[in-house]
Amino acid sequence: MSSSSLSSSSSSSSPASAVRVLTELDHVRIGKWLDTHAAQHEALQNLLDNADLVASDAVAPDVVTMRSRVQVAEPGDGAVREITLAYPDEADAAQGRISVLSPAGTALLGLRAGDVARWTAPDGRVSALQVRAVAFQPEASGDLLR
């Protein structure tokens, strides 16, 4: 997947909004997995290296964290669908659980409601999803150690 590129942009004009936010717990868990797979997931490693880290109990409730249930839509499209950002062993596309290792999953991690995730899939197709809302975030619900 090293040929995939990803970026995110925000609907606001603030340059600070381009920085992704990760919880310290998500950073540690994903980092441990990447210790043995980093070469295959360059974009995710770059995200870990450049994200602003916050404590799980301090993350804003509109930030996409691991296991968040997110309402997304293609920009300009009114059709909203709900997906859950999952760890690789929990991913199941048929159930709407996308892996953080997928280009879409990596692009969504750390964004806020209103931001747009953009990525290039391994087949060269460019895609985008706007985060309409974070319907469930484990940290906001008090589920900090799950």
Side-chain angles (χ1 to χ4, degrees):
M1 271 196 229
S2 61
S3 62
S4 296
S5 64
L6 82 117
S7 64
S8 66
S9 63
S10 175
S11 58
S12 73
S13 59
S14 167
S17 63
V19 175
R20 310 275 276 287
V21 176
L22 296 182
T23 66
E24 293 165 342
L25 182 59
D26 287 348
H27 188 271
V28 168
R29 287 180 174 170
I30 294 167
K32 284 182 180 179
W33 193 91
L34 283 177
D35 283 345
T36 57
H37 301 88
Q40 300 163 348
H41 300 284
E42 185 179 319
L44 187 54
Q45 185 63 57
N46 288 337
L47 172 57
L48 291 183
D49 292 345
N50 296 300
D52 279 348
L53 300 182
V54 298
S56 294
D57 61 355
V59 68
D62 67 340
V63 172
V64 179
T65 63
M66 292 305 302
R67 298 187 175 119
S68 289
R69 197 169 57 247
V70 184
Q71 294 175 349
V72 298
E74 292 182 24
D77 184 8
V80 176
R81 66 180 195 254
E82 199 165 86
I83 58 175
T84 300
L85 188 59
Y87 288 101
D89 60 337
E90 300 168 341
D92 181 347
Q95 298 294 315
R97 294 189 304 263
I98 65 165
S99 173
V100 68
L101 301 180
S102 70
T106 299
L108 287 165
L109 181 63
L111 295 184
R112 298 181 82 126
D115 288 344
V116 176
R118 299 179 198 287
W119 68 95
T120 303
D123 66 2
R125 186 175 45 93
V126 177
S127 297
L129 286 175
Q130 181 181 34
V131 178
R132 296 284 179 94
V134 177
F136 170 81
Q137 183 201 68
E139 294 81 3
S141 74
D143 193 2
L144 301 177
L145 299 177
R146 198 173 138 214

